[in-house]
Amino acid sequence: MARELPKVYEPQQVESQIYDMWQKGGYFHAEADESKKPFTIVMPPPNVTGQLHMGHAMDATLQDTLIRFKRMQGYNALWIPGVDHAGIATQIKVEEELRKEGLTRYDLGREKFLERVWDWKQKYGNRIVEQQKKLGASCDWDRARFTMDEGCSRAVREVFVSLYEKGLIYKGSRIINWCPHCVTALSDAEVEYVDKPGHLWHIRYPLADGTGEVVVATTRPETMLGDTGVCVNPNDERYKDIVGKKVILPLVNKEIPVVADDYAEMEFGTGCVKMTPAHDPNDFEVGLRHNLEVIRVLDDKGVMNDFGGKYQGMDRYDARKAIVADLEEQGYLVKVEDYSHNVGTCYRCHRDVEPIISAQWFVKMQPLAKEAIRVVKEGETKFVPERFSKTYMNWMENVRDWCISRQLWWGHQIPAWTCADCGHITVSREDATVCEKCGSHNIQREEDVLDTWFSSALWPFETLGWPEKTKDFNYFYPTDVLVTGYDIIFFWVARMIFSGCEHTGKTPFHTVLIHGLVRDNLGRKMSKSLGNGIDPLEMIDKYGCDALRMNMVTSNSPGNDMRFFVERCEAMRNFANKLWNASRYVMMNLSEDSKNELPALSSLEIADKWVLSKLNTLIAEVTENMDRYELGVAVQKIYDFIWDTYCDWYIELTKARLYSEDAGRKQTALQVLTYVLDQILRLLHPFMPFITEEIWQSLPHEGEALIVAKWPEACQDLAFKAEESLMESVMDAIRAIRNRRSEMNVPPSKKAALYVLTAKPQVFQEGEGFIQRLAYADSVTLLDKEPENLDGMVTCATADAKLYIPMGQLVDVAKELERIAKELDKARKNLASLEGKLSNEKFTSRAPENVVADIRDKAAKARDLIASLEGSEAAMKKLG
RNA sequence: GGACGAUUAGCUCAGCUGGCUAGAGCAUCCGCUUGACGUGCGGAAGGUCAUAGGUUCGAGUCCUAUAUCGUCCACCA
């Protein structure tokens, strides 16, 4: 089979071919199969408007790694992909396109506009999917879904109607967050609060009876036109007398009442608050309690309406300026203070949001939150890391009703029809043609569509055929793990949980794996405006998908943000190349009839047992880490094993045998090399799917593809603890000698004899070849006592051996003495600390036995080491 | 105002249930045509694990304060 492979791994050549091979093999596809256990992940659907960014790369890498791991473990692994219609985002994109043609959506009308959006979706909707494939995502593309497709629409309709029937959806006039730019209502979660510098204007409101005045303070003077009262605290002595009186609203010249309500804080400002029930949630509440009039002065675009008097038609900011100017001119303005405060902004367009009273549709949250709280509290759904369950709980326990109607066209239109004759609202699973109450045909469908997150909330079950009781739904639902960033816990995770509980009776997943944000190298958020985004596709082009994935998953722990360093991609590219070359080396030595199987245990040599035993431990640990979602820890162990244990040591340890004439020994080495490489590839595959598959296909193997090969399992027969430790003794010696030679600048070409005094002579005898090859010894001689003449002798001591190397004139006595003194000092300190522990009776009696034994062992070795160093020191001194 | 996170080598970060003589990558320094790999090999230097207490035989790891930075939630006009 001896194959010639290029010296450098070229991912660009390999990745697309491998991906095609997987797709053709149907390995991504899963069917309900009662003989296998399912493992299901639903992908957070990216926006149709989306371009792949690092967040997607992170998300997809984690999910793909998990799904590949489970697939190899024999689960019926299903990863459902899909795309979100992303109401506002998409509509804005298409409207921008229209604007280039000088058109607005109103010019086209709803129907034609929606046609345009669908065209747009056909055209660009697949782009992000193709990009995900570049990441190696092993999704079941046959099941790809879109949140506006027929099935999702049916699910949305069913949910809306059933919630309405249960009284959990209602329409009402409330203060909601309104974005005048996007011209739609928003939910609480869609408002981002930003600290902005502003002003606090103090305004004089004269008492109607002419007996005085009150001064109110406001950050939004333009809303005063909608003032319908002034509020003071009932306990405020200052204002006791004026409660119930009227004040005159400046500019408007209207009388409004003074009311007493706990809402007004005596300590803040003057203790008087102006009440604008139509434009402030708190004022609205106070207004309800005191029967204040509700006057809305801003229209949907943030322009003063016909209640605005002379300011009508002015934009909210222009109106503010004009009103302040007039107040000042007319002597109502008392003072202006600089005042920094939190302003709500739209999470889409980042412009200021206006609290506005408006008739909207809401989901009643209290009853739904109850179960959603229970499933997390009782651990039916667990967050990883655990701390996010607290974030979740806090939100869920204080959640307010969810405003779900949006004044957009792109989205699921609300299935409600209002009767023009009797005013009744008909909500129906089928499109209504008559009023269910009075039978009138004069009914009009609600114009609004639903919040995008309303359909996303159903994602874990609508993608499996719900509300139909399908085979898929019964088999794959509830799903297993949900992977997403902490930034959408409220938007999405929380809503999926209460929706799943309410509509399917089950929490939609048992684990929520939370990851952080990918930031730039300075720790800033990647953003278009900063232009600091790094394109994952560019990284893939340059370093390979596997390198990018490794970058995402290493040195990163769940829930924490990470900084992105291109250098890390480079490092991981180098790692891929390292693995490639190690494999190339193994393959060069394989023959046509080579098989991948372990040789008879009796033929194994110490190095073989050492590597197999280490591998065995690795398998156990990595599997455990994976089960705990500690992917970063798992992959670090695999990385270290491959580079250190396998490449730097095992391959080197087997070279003598591989080039020897002894066919049997050579064969054993080669078989172990191949076996371990195969196991490594399996362990690494979930993280670096492409290179591992490519190499595996070139190795002797059974089965079609690595992607469906069996995940390794630890096995007692391959745990050789005794041999492992013996081998380490020899390796320690090799390291010590290299170290000493390097300090003395002796090149490898310069060989030297080695004398060894050890209590484990057998393994040093057996390991003579290793020492010769890796520590540049030209002979190894075992001693039974210290050599008499240490003239020109370099010494070093390991835990198990004393080593003597005749170096002649190369030895610098003074330098050696210095070195020995330094080591002695370190060793003595070490021993002192160990002995301190052992002489502590509390330690020996309370610490577990194995720990005490371990310390005893270490102390004994430390004593040996010190004795040996002292010997060397004395000898050196004699010379000097 | 409340909650949470971070603070470990020059830089960026790991370190899971307390046993560590504290690790990695990058950067630095020294040496190497060692029959897979210079995208490499061997070696070195670099840390009182933010500070102060406490629990424990033992603390980077657990507890309590403090400081600095950051995130989220709520919000007084």
Side-chain angles (χ1 to χ4, degrees):
Chain A
M1 139 121 15
R3 274 184 49 177
E4 269 304 316
L5 293 172
K7 264 189 165 185
V8 171
Y9 172 61
E10 281 155 19
Q12 297 76 9
Q13 314 274 316
V14 170
E15 289 177 0
S16 60
Q17 274 177 18
I18 293 281
Y19 198 84
D20 285 348
M21 183 272 278
W22 287 331
Q23 279 205 295
K24 286 202 188 94
Y27 306 123
F28 301 164
H29 185 69
E31 285 287 333
D33 174 357
E34 291 299 339
S35 69
K36 286 161 95 186
K37 267 184 87 174
F39 182 86
T40 315
I41 294 180
V42 287
M43 174 198 284
N47 293 355
V48 263
T49 56
Q51 274 267 45
L52 197 77
H53 56 65
M54 280 299 170
H56 295 123
M58 167 66 82
D59 216 44
T61 299
L62 295 177
Q63 291 173 72
D64 194 50
T65 301
L66 280 180
I67 210 88
R68 283 177 188 268
F69 166 61
K70 289 292 178 178
R71 189 183 288 123
M72 290 176 80
Q73 277 193 322
Y75 285 86
N76 196 3
L78 170 63
W79 185 14
I80 306 172
V83 174
D84 195 289
H85 68 277
I88 303 182
T90 309
Q91 179 160 324
I92 288 175
K93 273 260 159 76
V94 177
E95 285 187 288
E96 273 169 12
E97 216 182 51
L98 280 180
R99 198 171 314 135
K100 287 177 200 152
E101 301 165 28
L103 294 171
T104 70
R105 68 187 220 234
Y106 303 101
D107 296 331
L108 266 72
R110 187 171 189 133
E111 210 169 306
K112 283 263 182 277
F113 177 75
L114 287 179
E115 273 172 29
R116 282 289 291 253
V117 185
W118 277 105
D119 287 349
W120 198 90
K121 192 255 165 193
Q122 286 330 105
K123 209 163 151 194
Y124 297 108
N126 222 30
R127 184 177 57 184
I128 190 120
V129 172
E130 290 311 309
Q131 292 173 333
Q132 284 174 325
K133 291 182 178 174
K134 290 237 158 77
L135 290 169
S138 61
C139 310
D140 189 348
W141 298 110
D142 300 347
R143 292 174 181 273
R145 295 292 298 272
F146 179 53
T147 54
M148 287 276 282
D149 66 24
E150 218 188 298
C152 291
S153 299
R154 201 175 329 123
V156 164
R157 180 74 79 100
E158 171 60 32
V159 165
F160 187 93
V161 176
S162 93
L163 286 176
Y164 183 79
E165 286 170 348
K166 293 179 203 164
L168 294 175
I169 279 185
Y170 65 92
K171 188 178 187 179
S173 278
R174 297 287 136 92
I175 293 274
I176 45 87
N177 304 292
W178 184 270
C179 177
H181 181 258
C182 300
V183 200
T184 178
L186 300 171
S187 67
D188 294 341
E190 286 166 318
V191 179
E192 285 174 358
Y193 288 89
V194 184
D195 205 35
K196 288 188 179 180
H199 301 284
L200 197 55
W201 284 274
H202 294 250
I203 307 167
R204 198 188 319 269
Y205 284 16
L207 284 168
D209 59 12
T211 57
E213 62 183 33
V214 295
V215 175
V216 298
T218 180
T219 53
R220 295 189 304 155
E222 68 279 9
T223 62
M224 69 170 290
L225 304 182
D227 282 7
T228 55
V230 166
C231 176
V232 297
N233 193 288
N235 300 319
D236 198 329
E237 295 295 334
R238 292 172 293 178
Y239 303 115
K240 248 200 159 104
D241 299 340
I242 63 162
V243 174
K245 288 189 173 180
K246 306 261 181 184
V247 295
I248 293 173
L249 185 59
L251 307 185
V252 183
N253 275 327
K254 180 176 134 180
E255 292 191 1
I256 55 175
V258 178
V259 299
D261 195 285
D262 286 337
Y263 167 68
E265 300 270 336
M266 290 191 276
E267 288 75 30
F268 190 90
T270 58
C272 291
V273 201
K274 67 189 225 24
M275 291 290 110
T276 322
H279 292 288
D280 183 283
N282 292 311
D283 295 3
F284 182 75
E285 292 300 318
V286 174
L288 283 183
R289 289 196 284 271
H290 300 277
N291 274 318
L292 298 180
E293 220 184 325
V294 179
I295 299 175
R296 191 176 143 172
V297 297
L298 285 170
D299 74 4
D300 289 353
K301 299 212 159 163
V303 172
M304 301 308 291
N305 63 16
D306 45 10
F307 282 97
K310 69 179 265 209
Y311 310 100
Q312 184 180 351
M314 288 173 112
D315 171 80
R316 51 185 167 155
Y317 299 112
D318 296 336
R320 174 179 297 177
K321 275 184 212 147
I323 287 171
V324 169
D326 288 348
L327 285 171
E328 188 166 18
E329 196 192 301
Q330 296 174 33
Y332 290 111
L333 191 63
V334 178
K335 62 172 172 174
V336 187
E337 286 176 312
D338 284 340
Y339 189 72
S340 155
H341 62 135
N342 267 348
V343 179
T345 61
C346 170
Y347 87 130
R348 278 286 151 218
C349 73
H350 302 292
R351 289 174 173 85
D352 290 0
V353 155
E354 289 293 334
I356 278 180
I357 188 158
S358 174
Q360 301 289 341
W361 291 82
F362 296 86
V363 173
K364 201 181 273 181
M365 287 304 301
Q366 284 310 321
L368 294 169
K370 221 176 138 198
E371 179 70 356
I373 288 167
R374 190 195 63 79
V375 294
V376 172
K377 197 173 260 169
E378 292 181 9
E380 287 173 29
T381 289
K382 290 194 177 78
F383 282 82
V384 178
E386 221 281 312
R387 68 183 135 96
F388 286 103
S389 61
K390 206 168 173 177
T391 312
Y392 167 90
M393 281 297 185
N394 198 281
W395 188 81
M396 206 50 115
E397 280 165 0
N398 298 300
V399 70
R400 296 196 294 174
D401 286 357
W402 175 18
C403 175
I404 50 169
S405 42
R406 296 289 177 276
Q407 288 61 50
L408 308 171
W409 288 351
W410 176 237
H412 295 281
Q413 196 173 352
I414 292 177
W417 288 259
T418 307
C419 178
D421 294 334
C422 75
H424 178 77
I425 294 175
T426 303
V427 168
S428 160
R429 284 177 180 80
E430 305 304 325
D431 284 1
T433 49
V434 295
C435 173
E436 64 185 357
K437 195 173 176 199
C438 72
S440 161
H441 288 265
N442 197 4
I443 57 172
Q444 182 81 38
R445 184 166 186 175
E446 193 73 34
E447 293 260 311
D448 295 353
V449 300
L450 291 164
D451 182 1
T452 300
W453 298 100
F454 192 90
S455 51
S456 314
L458 320 179
W459 194 238
F461 42 97
E462 67 184 349
T463 48
L464 287 167
W466 189 92
E468 256 44 79
K469 287 261 169 234
T470 61
K471 214 166 82 184
D472 283 341
F473 177 76
N474 288 331
Y475 179 75
F476 289 110
Y477 188 86
T479 71
D480 291 273
V481 182
L482 183 95
V483 180
T484 196
Y486 59 71
D487 51 332
I488 56 173
I489 291 177
F490 304 143
F491 280 120
W492 194 45
V493 180
R495 285 163 181 170
M496 279 192 286
I497 293 177
F498 72 68
S499 301
C501 291
E502 178 66 19
H503 306 296
T504 70
K506 286 174 191 157
T507 181
F509 26 72
H510 57 71
T511 300
V512 182
L513 180 58
I514 297 287
H515 63 250
L517 263 45
V518 184
R519 297 172 174 278
D520 75 357
N521 59 342
L522 299 174
R524 300 173 302 180
K525 238 173 164 170
M526 289 188 183
S527 75
K528 264 188 225 154
S529 51
L530 274 174
N532 62 342
I534 295 173
D535 182 359
L537 298 168
E538 198 186 311
M539 292 296 111
I540 290 172
D541 263 3
K542 222 164 169 178
Y543 301 106
C545 172
D546 291 330
L548 175 68
R549 290 170 62 120
M550 284 294 274
N551 189 343
M552 296 282 103
V553 96
T554 54
S555 274
N556 178 24
S557 51
N560 291 335
D561 291 352
M562 73 173 298
R563 296 192 190 188
F564 189 92
F565 289 94
V566 176
E567 292 86 342
R568 191 180 284 282
C569 279
E570 210 173 305
M572 293 306 148
R573 189 262 328 253
N574 294 353
F575 172 62
N577 196 50
K578 184 73 184 172
L579 175 63
W580 180 255
N581 275 293
S583 308
R584 194 163 68 93
Y585 169 73
V586 173
M587 283 183 231
M588 275 165 28
N589 287 288
L590 290 174
S591 57
E592 210 56 61
D593 53 352
S594 291
K595 284 208 180 73
N596 174 17
E597 57 189 16
L598 261 185
L601 295 191
S602 58
S603 68
L604 294 178
E605 302 192 10
I606 186 163
D608 305 330
K609 290 185 175 176
W610 171 78
V611 76
L612 288 168
S613 193
K614 298 273 277 184
L615 173 68
N616 210 47
T617 308
L618 176 76
I619 291 168
E621 288 186 7
V622 165
T623 307
E624 201 184 321
N625 288 133
M626 295 293 279
D627 284 336
R628 292 188 191 164
Y629 306 100
E630 295 160 358
L631 306 191
V633 179
V635 77
Q636 190 61 49
K637 287 176 182 170
I638 300 168
Y639 177 101
D640 289 343
F641 184 91
I642 291 176
W643 206 311
D644 297 344
T645 308
Y646 189 71
C647 293
D648 289 348
W649 282 101
Y650 187 64
I651 285 183
E652 296 305 326
L653 292 172
T654 52
K655 274 185 178 165
R657 273 192 282 165
L658 232 49
Y659 297 121
S660 82
E661 298 302 311
D662 188 330
R665 295 186 66 214
K666 178 175 174 176
Q667 184 55 28
T668 301
L670 203 48
Q671 277 179 256
V672 178
L673 275 166
T674 309
Y675 174 82
V676 176
L677 178 57
D678 171 90
Q679 296 280 297
I680 282 171
L681 293 171
R682 289 170 197 249
L683 293 173
L684 187 61
H685 180 263
F687 301 95
M688 301 184 92
F690 290 109
I691 188 172
T692 50
E693 181 75 75
E694 172 71 6
I695 295 169
W696 194 81
Q697 291 291 343
S698 306
L699 285 173
H701 61 268
E702 272 170 38
E704 289 175 27
L706 180 56
I707 186 176
V708 286
K710 204 168 147 284
W711 180 258
E713 276 172 30
C715 153
Q716 261 314 301
D717 293 352
L718 296 177
F720 304 105
K721 283 294 162 195
E723 287 88 346
E724 204 184 313
S725 122
L726 283 172
M727 187 70 226
E728 296 284 351
S729 295
V730 174
M731 289 166 64
D732 277 349
I734 291 169
R735 275 189 276 254
I737 298 163
R738 281 173 174 171
N739 181 320
R740 193 61 15 92
R741 291 176 58 107
S742 185
E743 272 174 15
M744 297 172 70
N745 275 333
V746 186
S749 51
K750 200 154 202 154
K751 313 262 183 213
L754 174 72
Y755 299 93
V756 184
L757 181 60
T758 173
K760 298 174 175 173
Q762 214 179 329
V763 71
F764 279 82
Q765 205 146 39
E766 206 177 330
E768 182 176 345
F770 302 145
I771 296 170
Q772 286 185 359
R773 182 172 266 275
L774 302 178
Y776 323 107
D778 50 12
S779 66
V780 176
T781 311
L782 291 173
L783 304 172
D784 47 14
K785 62 175 179 25
E786 291 211 24
E788 316 233 306
N789 182 10
L790 288 170
D791 201 358
M793 205 68 106
V794 169
T795 61
C796 40
T798 67
D800 294 318
K802 294 172 193 172
L803 311 160
Y804 306 90
I805 315 158
M807 283 295 211
Q809 307 88 316
L810 282 171
V811 183
D812 179 334
V813 176
K815 217 172 146 190
E816 270 294 276
L817 272 171
E818 197 184 314
R819 196 212 87 224
I820 292 170
K822 210 171 133 192
E823 280 190 26
L824 255 178
D825 186 52
K826 205 170 141 191
R828 282 183 182 133
K829 276 185 186 150
N830 184 28
L831 180 63
S833 120
L834 293 168
E835 280 179 335
K837 283 185 186 174
L838 290 171
S839 65
N840 183 344
E841 192 241 333
K842 285 179 178 170
F843 172 71
T844 47
S845 60
R846 292 192 202 182
E849 259 175 60
N850 61 323
V851 173
V852 178
D854 195 42
I855 298 287
R856 270 213 183 93
D857 196 43
K858 279 180 180 162
K861 280 182 173 168
R863 266 181 226 111
D864 276 357
L865 182 64
I866 287 167
S868 159
L869 284 165
E870 280 168 349
S872 306
E873 188 178 42
M876 258 323 134
K877 274 183 178 154
K878 241 187 280 170
L879 293 173

